[in-house]
Amino acid sequence: MRDKSGVEKISKLASLPLSEKEISLFGNQLSKIVGFVAALNRLDTNTVSPTYQVAGKVNEFREDKPSGGLSSKEALSNSPRTIGKYIVTKGVFNVK
Amino acid sequence: MLNSFLTIKDILAGYKRREFSSKEVFDLCYKNISKSEGRIGAFVTLLDREGLKLSRNSIPVGHKDIFSTKNIETTASSNILKGYKPPYDASTVKRLSDKNFVCIGKLNCDAFAHGATGENSDMKVTKNPYDLTRTPGGSSCGPAAAVASGFVLMATATDTGGSIRLPSSFTNTVGIKPTYGRVSRYGVIAMTSSTDSIGHITRTVWDNAYVLGITAGFDPKDATSSHREVDDYLDTIEQGILGLKVGVPREYLENIPANIKDRFYESIKLLEGLGAKVVDVSLPSTKYAINAYYIITPSEISSNLARFDGIRFGGTRNKFGGEAKRRIMMGTFSLSAGYYDEYYLKAQKARTLIIEDFKNAFEKVDVLVTPVSPILPPKLNSIIKDTLKTYMMDVLTVPVSIAGVPSLSVPGGFIDDEGKKLPFGIQLIGNYFNEKLLYRIGYALEQETRYYETTPAI
């Protein structure tokens, strides 16, 4: 990712449009950050398991009981484009 | 007669004795705001005084702009959420409003809480009330500045890697980062789901403990919140600290400048004087926490910020600020095929070792004590230009976040710098769910030092 095409690939994966200026700036800064976090390689973790949940919780279940939620009017209140009770999305199959 | 700088404890007693009314308390806060907010810049949204519905026992509170507040604009101080009005309240907001806390406004922060100085906010720059040329710390710059300036009696905030403790340290206030899962995250705009902790900032330790008693507890809307019973944080607060074992982790003091170190050891002496036994301890893996943090955090951010697509709410992705873009890029990289094992998985293994360090330490001592910040509050527009230097401001606070243990920042006094008296904080770190002990120790220190009585000249 240190070069321009590497940064462009990540920006595409992240669906994050970047300007030419940002691409060169981030290429430089991200290389430094990657170098910084790589210090972790000094830590021997060969026999260590990863921890994803610090409180040790595994599953959390709740009763399957209907309860009140938002009205569709409330749920749609911040959508930029709606038709009736629907949100207008970008096309999926018509985008090259 | 009402003092300009109130505490929750004072006004609860005053209301009970009918010495003054909630109207007088709110008038005073709004008077402080109209006098100094122009210079401080803590609020991104300030509600109209006349529109507030007060009861006899109302307490003024400000929420960090990252908490969803029903029908009140919530932007996370980012342009991408400009105009967004959530149709519901965060669970913490709801719990507080049920206990007489009335929201008077939303407080500034680094956009999406990414930062250590507040300067990544897309909205405004918040100033430190103790020196207007310096940062109040971040990401909760607005909450800390508002409490220190007497605009509110308490402010909610979030701490993912130090975002409550650092600004508390820089503003002579008290900030709690509770155990991960102690307070519901529901309705708080997510940053790093595995370390995000919901806490608050107050002027005194008693006030802080009082508020945690309200916000803590299981919430069916947050599957990561804990079922564990909530302690009474106030019943032993005055018990003192005789016989407690206080650990000073030597790795935390390795690169601390002499002026901070000297004042820090004054607090350690004070704890000894109060009957605590001070023990030298070592947490060898914690120095890797900062490296692990800056892998885990951007990774989870890139996932959490994926929901901002400009379709259901908010603007399009080009409206993200520089730091959010940087973290999305870094996180997408470290989660991408071929790099996952090398970065994210490696960091999660480091997390296991960091947790073990804390567990071992808490077999020997009751509490760990460290400085909160390795530096004094920086001048505005100085450190922010250097991304890695800004990241290093969190070096003493991220091990706690990675492990998920609780930590309380309490005032440690003032250090003279360029003719100004700058606050700095002491970090009390406890074992999982032992916030109660942190409050007891913090209270004992506070009763001796009474630093909270030194208010800013604004």
Side-chain angles (χ1 to χ4, degrees):
Chain A
M1 109 150 147
R2 285 154 180 79
D3 56 5
K4 187 171 176 249
S5 70
V7 176
E8 280 170 341
K9 187 186 157 209
I10 302 291
S11 111
K12 204 176 156 216
L13 280 175
S15 181
L16 189 66
L18 296 180
S19 66
E20 283 295 320
K21 207 178 141 196
E22 284 173 323
I23 288 172
S24 86
L25 178 73
F26 287 161
N28 187 6
Q29 290 178 334
L30 292 172
S31 295
K32 278 190 194 154
I33 298 170
V34 169
F36 170 70
V37 299
L40 212 51
N41 290 326
R42 292 201 293 270
L43 197 62
D44 181 8
T45 53
N46 278 330
T47 57
V48 181
S49 309
T51 301
Y52 297 100
Q53 222 295 338
V54 292
K57 270 193 137 179
V58 182
N59 286 318
E60 176 68 41
F61 296 102
R62 65 180 161 85
E63 249 184 293
D64 187 14
K65 218 169 74 185
S67 63
L70 298 177
S71 67
S72 52
K73 194 182 161 205
E74 285 172 315
L76 295 175
S77 60
N78 284 288
S79 304
R81 284 181 70 202
T82 55
I83 296 176
K85 285 186 174 183
Y86 299 96
I87 294 170
V88 179
T89 71
K90 291 178 203 158
V92 174
F93 298 107
N94 55 355
V95 179
K96 272 189 186 169
Chain B
M1 177 64 192
L2 277 172
N3 182 309
S4 284
F5 290 88
L6 302 167
T7 65
I8 295 172
K9 193 180 184 187
D10 291 342
I11 69 161
L12 289 177
Y15 288 165
K16 208 170 174 184
R17 294 195 295 261
R18 307 270 175 122
E19 281 171 16
F20 45 80
S21 66
S22 62
K23 187 184 168 295
E24 288 170 85
V25 169
F26 279 72
D27 284 344
L28 184 75
C29 288
Y30 274 83
K31 204 176 114 197
N32 290 346
I33 292 167
S34 62
K35 184 180 155 221
S36 319
E37 167 62 4
R39 270 167 292 144
I40 300 292
F43 286 95
V44 289
T45 302
L46 178 62
L47 300 181
D48 185 20
R49 166 75 179 85
E50 302 311 315
L52 302 177
K53 284 198 188 87
L54 301 184
S55 71
R56 217 178 66 198
N57 297 311
S58 297
I59 304 166
V61 60
H63 296 298
K64 186 175 179 178
D65 203 33
I66 204 158
F67 287 74
S68 299
T69 41
K70 190 172 181 175
N71 299 330
I72 300 172
E73 189 177 10
T74 299
T75 67
S77 298
S78 68
N79 282 331
I80 198 169
L81 277 176
K82 225 165 188 177
Y84 172 66
K85 286 186 177 169
Y88 63 95
D89 277 328
S91 291
T92 296
V93 169
K94 175 83 177 43
R95 277 175 186 243
L96 287 166
S97 62
D98 287 347
K99 295 282 182 189
N100 301 315
F101 283 86
V102 174
C103 172
I104 70 166
K106 301 301 289 289
L107 297 161
N108 194 28
C109 57
D110 286 289
F112 289 105
H114 305 166
T117 66
E119 292 165 284
N120 289 325
S121 168
D122 291 342
M123 302 301 165
K124 54 163 65 171
V125 177
T126 304
K127 320 281 192 335
N128 190 318
Y130 288 89
D131 179 351
L132 297 174
T133 68
R134 294 180 192 254
T135 165
S139 68
S140 308
C141 55
V147 171
S149 304
F151 299 164
V152 286
L153 274 80
M154 184 277 283
T156 56
T158 56
D159 188 313
T160 300
S163 283
I164 288 175
R165 290 163 284 162
L166 200 62
S168 299
S169 165
F170 286 176
T171 58
N172 193 35
T173 53
V174 178
I176 182 79
K177 178 222 121 41
T179 306
Y180 178 80
R182 181 66 297 178
V183 179
S184 168
R185 294 184 292 120
Y186 179 76
V188 178
I189 295 166
M191 175 179 164
T192 308
S193 302
S194 76
T195 64
D196 282 348
S197 299
I198 312 307
H200 46 271
I201 296 173
T202 55
R203 286 188 59 227
T204 65
V205 175
W206 192 96
D207 284 9
N208 208 287
Y210 174 79
V211 173
L212 188 63
I214 295 166
T215 59
F218 176 72
D219 176 10
K221 290 174 175 167
D222 174 6
T224 59
S225 65
S226 173
H227 286 276
R228 204 182 150 109
E229 206 184 316
V230 176
D231 284 330
D232 182 334
Y233 299 113
L234 292 169
D235 67 353
T236 59
I237 202 165
E238 294 177 13
Q239 214 172 68
I241 59 168
L242 188 68
L244 284 183
K245 276 192 190 154
V246 171
V248 179
R250 68 183 83 112
E251 290 84 1
Y252 282 68
L253 290 152
E254 275 168 7
N255 296 309
I256 306 300
N259 54 351
I260 294 180
K261 215 188 243 182
D262 290 350
R263 295 306 309 272
F264 169 74
Y265 277 109
E266 282 176 25
S267 293
I268 295 295
K269 283 225 171 70
L270 200 55
L271 289 170
E272 244 173 347
L274 292 168
K277 190 169 178 263
V278 176
V279 185
D280 170 58
V281 291
S282 170
L283 284 81
S285 299
T286 61
K287 64 171 171 241
Y288 295 103
I290 190 84
N291 310 100
Y293 180 80
Y294 279 103
I295 295 171
I296 294 170
T297 293
S299 300
E300 296 186 22
I301 284 170
S302 71
S303 167
N304 273 322
L305 294 189
R307 80 192 60 177
F308 292 91
D309 54 11
I311 293 170
R312 292 155 303 156
F313 55 87
T316 47
R317 288 174 77 75
N318 58 338
K319 295 219 169 66
F320 278 124
E323 187 59 25
K325 283 181 180 168
R326 200 158 25 246
R327 293 188 185 202
I328 291 170
M329 290 291 288
M330 177 64 201
T332 306
F333 167 73
S334 62
L335 292 177
S336 62
Y339 294 104
Y340 177 88
D341 285 3
E342 195 181 332
Y343 293 101
Y344 193 69
L345 185 66
K346 177 84 183 175
Q348 298 290 43
K349 288 178 173 179
R351 170 180 257 169
T352 305
L353 294 175
I354 292 159
I355 290 171
E356 276 174 21
D357 268 7
F358 278 110
K359 282 188 175 161
N360 291 337
F362 287 122
E363 277 176 16
K364 294 182 205 116
V365 297
D366 298 299
V367 65
L368 295 166
V369 185
T370 78
V372 175
S373 165
I375 55 173
L376 292 172
K379 295 260 187 194
L380 290 163
N381 207 20
S382 64
I383 200 165
I384 189 71
K385 292 174 194 149
D386 188 331
T387 302
L388 282 181
K389 260 195 188 165
T390 313
Y391 287 2
M392 284 305 283
M393 286 173 72
D394 295 332
V395 70
L396 303 177
T397 49
V398 294
V400 162
S401 304
I402 291 282
V405 291
S407 165
L408 183 72
S409 173
V410 293
F414 298 87
I415 293 175
D416 290 322
D417 195 60
E418 295 180 14
K420 298 274 184 182
K421 286 191 183 312
L422 303 175
F424 87 103
I426 303 288
Q427 172 168 238
L428 309 174
I429 305 168
N431 208 343
Y432 292 96
F433 297 102
N434 208 354
E435 288 85 356
K436 186 172 176 156
L437 182 67
L438 302 184
Y439 285 129
R440 211 174 110 196
I441 301 166
Y443 186 84
L445 265 178
E446 183 184 82
Q447 291 307 298
E448 286 296 309
T449 60
R450 308 194 83 85
Y451 290 130
Y452 69 91
E453 290 173 355
T454 306
T455 51
I458 45 167

